[in-house]
Amino acid sequence: MPDIIKLLPDSVANQIAAGEVVQRPASAVKEMLENAIDAGADKIQLIVKDAGKALIQVTDNGCGMSATDARMCFERHATSKIKKAEDLFAIRTMGFRGEAMASIAAIAQVELKTRKHDEELGTCLNIEASTVVSQEPCATPAGTSLCVKNLFYNIPARRNFLKSNPVEMRHIIDEFQRVALAHPNIFFTLHHDGQEVYHLPATQLKQRIVHLLGNNYNERLVPLDEDTSIIQVRGFIGKPSFAKRTRGEQFFFVNNRFIKDGYLNHAVTIAYEQLLPDDCFPLYVLFIDIDPAKIDINVHPTKTEIKYQDEKAIYAIIRSAVKRSLGKYNIAPSLDFNRETAFDAMLSHSAPEEIHPPAVDFNPNFNPFHSEKKTSREIPLLRDVAERKSIPNNWETLYEITQKPSFEQQSFELQHQQTLGATDEKVETISSRQVFQLHQRYIITQIKSGLLMVDQQAAHERILYERFLQQLDENKGSSQQSLFPQTVTLNTTDFALATELLPYFQALGFVIREFGKNTLVIEGVPADLPENNDLPAMLEELIEGFKNNHTVLKLDKRENLARTLAKNASIKAGTTLETEEMNNLIDQLFACAMPNASLSGKQTLIKLTLDELLERFAKH
């Protein structure tokens, strides 16, 4: 019987290894940027086309390579970072495995141009699917320029699994941000399809955070610096008032290497205990300096996981350091029993120039003897009830007993009609539905079998959700133009997401257009939304809620956006409603396809029958 076990060719082994190292274009970007940093570059340029599917180019002014090194760097397990096994516990460089370049060359068309600073000519090397096509001398600037074209061109199944360009570009931006944050002393630029996305000069860490995340982050940062015999922790944490409901602004770096560690993240979260709700996540950019001999980074091919010798001590140090910074800068509340608190109400935290004396405002045309009929205010999306579809399931029969007048009322109306019989005047009867609001949260109304209790916020969310879904399907959202258009500047990731959602925004009635780099102009909003002068904040909350739903519920864009906008625009608990508004809310709730269920799956209404009431009162 012939032997069946054979040694795989290098090309096949490289493609298998590429499945672990290069999962998407962002993975190649990460490896290429880290190699440029290890080369000692202080200027790095990243150029991307078609979200990395067509081209990824990294140009640096590092040390460069010789002709032999240029050829050798594409071999498996070829690296200049380590020489023996003991070096694994003294690693300060980003890369050390020697697999990234071989993996990239196995699944793409690669062109490498490199020259050392002390040489006159460089080397140009072309590789396709691990096969060297050409290698020749060339004139090129000192440093290295690496072009990766047509990623996964020889693995069609793998290429088909890639997401849309905006999604893949967001992953590339995430990797770029992590590398740029870890090295604020390096000049970085990022270009996508001919447009400059980032231009980051060498600066301090705080300025690098502001340049990456947005100018409004300058006031959100609290410095942190802790030096112990085990680790050194430095960086910035965010103020609790600016915490978000989605992750994405949490960065841990160990020896300047970005890591993902749920255990250390929990240490930071515990430090914010009683300062944040359970579903909010604070911003932090923390750098941990530790002896490489006390950690093991050879855990995962992506090198984002690390094992520590003394994990509990590091946990305690990070938690206490965060708490100390929050207390040091008066972010966390504290108790001082020696302080006199009698005059606290007389003190103001505002600047003197912001304090204005009280003014008396009056209406000179006010006439106490002139009365006007008060009109009930309208709640957004609770008007035009008559234009809604017919209410299904004959739900009006719930109110049949309440709509039948009593014997005394029938006698009074009969006498009243006989009195007005000689004239042709029409008698208008007021709806006898009895409805009232409980604790500005629930609506209670009488039905023929007992009473009905409606959660006003959950009911309104259901109404808005189905209304927005219909508008997205029909692309007929009505819009109300703003008198003064407002601009909103987002970070690059949120701007890319907002640009991707612009067609859906327009279908709902938003009028939004791009206005320069990472800036949008809001010229109109859906006519049914409540009046809100802070349109930028509303748009940011909408994007934040969309990201949260996408992460937790994995919804498609249409349903996700309808759900997010419904939650943001619904009537909140604590809002006082007029009788007409409560009636309209009930009418539109029963006109919904699923009136009994809220967006979270809970009940929107509860029916309590007379039999249940009698049973409760009969109990001792």
Side-chain angles (χ1 to χ4, degrees), residues 329-586:
Y329 293 93
N330 296 325
I331 304 300
S334 60
L335 292 177
D336 187 356
F337 295 100
N338 297 323
R339 183 171 61 89
E340 177 57 51
T341 60
F343 301 100
D344 283 356
M346 302 174 61
L347 300 178
S348 174
H349 297 283
S350 303
E353 60 272 10
E354 297 179 0
I355 300 176
H356 302 284
V360 178
D361 188 14
F362 66 94
N363 183 9
N365 299 322
F366 174 71
N367 185 355
F369 300 100
H370 177 68
S371 61
E372 296 181 356
K373 183 179 179 181
K374 296 182 179 179
T375 59
S376 175
R377 62 185 176 89
E378 290 183 335
I379 295 181
L381 294 183
L382 294 185
R383 52 181 180 266
D384 301 334
V385 182
E387 298 179 2
R388 297 288 291 169
K389 298 179 181 179
S390 60
I391 301 173
N393 301 328
N394 298 323
W395 69 276
E396 303 97 326
T397 56
L398 294 172
Y399 296 94
E400 285 181 354
I401 190 171
T402 65
Q403 293 175 355
K404 294 180 180 180
S406 61
F407 176 78
E408 293 79 8
Q409 185 177 357
Q410 291 178 357
S411 302
F412 174 79
E413 290 182 357
L414 180 60
Q415 295 175 3
H416 193 53
Q417 291 177 3
Q418 291 176 353
T419 305
L420 299 177
T423 65
D424 293 330
E425 295 184 26
K426 183 179 180 181
V427 180
E428 296 181 1
T429 60
I430 302 176
S431 176
S432 60
R433 182 192 296 173
Q434 300 179 13
V435 59
F436 66 92
Q437 192 178 23
L438 179 64
H439 294 299
Q440 286 78 43
R441 183 168 185 173
Y442 302 103
I443 299 174
I444 299 179
T445 180
Q446 180 181 345
I447 57 177
K448 65 177 183 180
S449 61
L451 61 87
L452 191 71
M453 180 179 295
V454 179
D455 186 332
Q456 65 184 37
Q457 180 174 348
H460 199 204
E461 287 179 1
R462 166 57 60 180
I463 296 169
L464 297 182
Y465 173 70
E466 296 195 4
R467 177 76 64 87
F468 291 145
L469 279 182
Q470 182 180 3
Q471 291 178 354
L472 287 170
D473 291 338
E474 300 176 356
N475 197 16
K476 294 181 179 179
S478 59
S479 177
Q480 180 177 358
Q481 296 294 319
S482 301
L483 183 60
F484 300 102
Q486 300 186 36
T487 61
V488 54
T489 302
L490 305 171
N491 59 54
T492 305
T493 305
D494 289 348
F495 178 78
L497 177 60
T499 305
E500 183 182 356
L501 296 177
L502 277 182
Y504 298 92
F505 286 145
Q506 294 172 358
L508 290 171
F510 284 96
V511 181
I512 303 176
R513 61 182 176 88
E514 297 184 32
F515 187 73
K517 183 179 179 181
N518 295 348
T519 304
L520 299 173
V521 176
I522 307 175
E523 297 180 340
V525 296
D528 296 320
L529 286 187
E531 296 182 1
N532 188 350
N533 295 326
D534 195 0
L535 297 181
M538 180 189 67
L539 183 62
E540 290 180 358
E541 292 178 359
L542 186 59
I543 295 175
E544 196 68 24
F546 182 91
K547 292 191 297 183
N548 187 39
N549 288 338
H550 179 73
T551 303
V552 177
L553 303 178
K554 305 295 183 183
L555 302 175
D556 59 10
K557 296 176 183 177
R558 168 180 161 274
E559 185 175 355
N560 190 346
L561 192 58
R563 178 185 294 265
T564 303
L565 189 57
K567 284 184 172 293
N568 289 344
S570 62
I571 303 170
K572 301 299 185 289
T575 303
T576 303
L577 304 180
E578 303 290 342
T579 302
E580 181 181 352
E581 296 167 347
M582 291 186 283
N583 286 326
N584 290 344
L585 181 64
I586 295 174

Side-chain angles (χ1 to χ4, degrees), residues 266-322:
H266 185 265
V268 178
T269 306
I270 288 296
Y272 280 88
E273 194 174 15
Q274 298 181 353
L275 295 177
L276 290 178
D278 294 336
D279 56 348
C280 287
F281 306 97
L283 158 72
Y284 59 80
V285 182
L286 297 179
F287 291 81
I288 300 175
D289 291 331
I290 188 173
D291 184 2
K294 297 181 179 179
I295 60 175
D296 182 10
I297 60 177
N298 190 25
V299 177
H300 194 272
T302 59
K303 301 184 288 290
T304 56
E305 298 179 11
I306 291 181
K307 296 295 184 181
Y308 311 90
Q309 283 188 0
D310 197 350
E311 207 170 34
K312 294 183 179 180
I314 296 176
Y315 180 97
I317 292 172
I318 292 176
R319 183 182 62 179
S320 61
V322 174

Side-chain angles (χ1 to χ4, degrees), residues 63-67 113-124 136-143:
C63 62
M65 291 181 286
S66 64
K113 290 183 179 181
T114 181
R115 178 173 73 87
K116 301 182 73 172
H117 287 262
D118 57 352
E119 296 180 356
E120 294 183 357
L121 285 179
T123 301
C124 179
E136 57 187 4
C138 69
T140 183

